[in-house]
Coordinates of all heavy atoms in Angstrom, one line a residue:
A42 N 146.4 12.7 41.4 CA 145.9 12.7 40.0 C 147.1 12.6 39.0 O 147.1 11.7 38.1 CB 144.8 13.5 39.7
E43 N 148.0 13.5 39.3 CA 149.1 13.6 38.2 C 149.9 12.4 38.1 O 150.4 12.1 37.1 CB 149.9 14.8 38.6 CG 149.4 16.1 38.9 CD 148.9 16.1 40.4 OE1 149.8 16.4 41.2 OE2 147.7 15.9 40.7
M44 N 150.0 11.6 39.2 CA 150.9 10.4 39.2 C 150.3 9.4 38.2 O 151.0 8.6 37.6 CB 151.0 9.7 40.7 CG 151.7 10.7 41.6 SD 151.5 10.2 43.3 CE 152.6 8.8 43.3
V45 N 148.9 9.4 38.1 CA 148.4 8.5 37.1 C 148.3 9.0 35.8 O 148.8 8.4 34.8 CB 146.9 8.1 37.6 CG1 146.1 7.4 36.4 CG2 146.8 7.5 38.9
A46 N 147.9 10.4 35.5 CA 148.0 11.0 34.3 C 149.3 11.0 33.6 O 149.5 10.7 32.4 CB 147.6 12.5 34.5
D47 N 150.4 11.1 34.4 CA 151.8 11.1 33.7 C 152.5 9.8 33.9 O 153.6 9.7 33.6 CB 152.8 12.2 34.5 CG 152.0 13.5 34.4 OD1 151.2 13.8 33.6 OD2 152.4 14.4 35.4
S48 N 151.8 8.7 34.5 CA 152.4 7.4 34.6 C 153.7 7.6 35.3 O 154.8 7.0 34.9 CB 152.6 6.7 33.3 OG 151.4 6.4 32.7
H49 N 153.7 8.1 36.5 CA 154.9 8.3 37.3 C 155.6 7.0 37.5 O 155.0 6.0 37.8 CB 154.6 8.9 38.6 CG 154.5 10.4 38.7 ND1 154.7 11.0 39.9 CD2 154.3 11.2 37.7 CE1 154.6 12.4 39.7 NE2 154.3 12.5 38.4
R50 N 157.0 7.0 37.5 CA 157.7 5.9 37.7 C 157.3 5.2 39.1 O 157.2 3.9 39.2 CB 159.1 6.1 37.7 CG 160.2 5.0 38.1 CD 160.3 4.0 36.9 NE 161.2 2.8 37.4 CZ 161.5 1.8 36.6 NH1 161.4 2.0 35.4 NH2 162.2 0.8 37.1
Y51 N 157.2 6.0 40.1 CA 156.8 5.4 41.4 C 155.4 4.7 41.3 O 155.2 3.7 41.9 CB 156.8 6.6 42.5 CG 156.3 6.1 43.8 CD1 157.2 5.3 44.6 CD2 155.1 6.5 44.3 CE1 156.7 4.9 45.8 CE2 154.6 6.0 45.5 CZ 155.4 5.2 46.3 OH 155.1 4.7 47.5
A52 N 154.5 5.4 40.6 CA 153.1 4.7 40.5 C 153.2 3.3 39.9 O 152.7 2.3 40.2 CB 152.2 5.5 39.8
L53 N 154.1 3.2 38.8 CA 154.3 2.0 38.1 C 155.1 0.9 39.0 O 154.8 -0.3 39.0 CB 155.1 2.2 36.8 CG 154.3 3.1 35.9 CD1 155.1 3.2 34.5 CD2 152.8 2.7 35.6
E54 N 156.0 1.4 39.8 CA 156.7 0.5 40.8 C 155.7 0.0 41.8 O 155.8 -1.2 42.1 CB 157.8 1.3 41.5 CG 159.1 1.4 40.6 CD 160.1 2.4 41.2 OE1 159.8 2.9 42.4 OE2 161.0 2.8 40.6
R55 N 154.8 0.8 42.2 CA 153.8 0.4 43.2 C 152.8 -0.6 42.5 O 152.3 -1.5 43.1 CB 153.0 1.6 43.8 CG 153.9 2.5 44.7 CD 154.7 1.8 45.7 NE 153.9 0.9 46.6 CZ 154.4 -0.1 47.3 NH1 155.7 -0.4 47.2 NH2 153.7 -0.9 47.9
L56 N 152.5 -0.3 41.3 CA 151.6 -1.3 40.5 C 152.2 -2.7 40.5 O 151.6 -3.7 40.8 CB 151.5 -0.8 39.1 CG 151.0 -1.7 38.1 CD1 149.4 -2.0 38.4 CD2 151.0 -1.1 36.6

Side-chain angles (χ1 to χ4, degrees):
E43 312 83 82
M44 295 169 77
V45 173
D47 307 336
S48 298
H49 273 201
R50 175 80 190 188
Y51 176 71
L53 303 183
E54 286 169 3
R55 295 312 306 156
L56 167 66

